[in-house]
Amino acid sequence: MENKQQTSYKEVKIGGTLYRVTSVFTGEKDLAKTLEQLAIRKVMAEKNTL
């Protein structure tokens, strides 16, 4: 089965600056592994702000 890349974006204006957040879906991922990686990144980011 061929996966098609899908891109979406949202623009948000904060002050005088326009920011564009882009999301790219390139196919299937292992949800458990992805959630674990996100949790680790969050913990490391919180640790670095303390």
Side-chain angles (χ1 to χ4, degrees):
M1 183 167 120
E2 182 179 322
N3 289 328
K4 294 183 180 180
Q5 182 172 319
Q6 296 178 343
T7 303
S8 63
Y9 69 91
K10 180 177 182 177
E11 293 180 343
V12 179
K13 190 171 190 177
I14 301 174
T17 306
L18 182 64
Y19 296 91
R20 178 184 277 189
V21 178
T22 304
S23 299
V24 179
F25 176 76
T26 57
E28 294 182 16
K29 286 190 156 219
D30 179 354
L31 183 58
K33 185 166 182 70
T34 301
L35 289 174
E36 179 182 3
Q37 290 171 347
L38 289 172
I40 291 169
R41 287 181 197 163
K42 182 177 181 183
V43 168
M44 296 302 290
E46 289 176 357
K47 179 182 174 193
N48 290 333
T49 60
L50 294 179

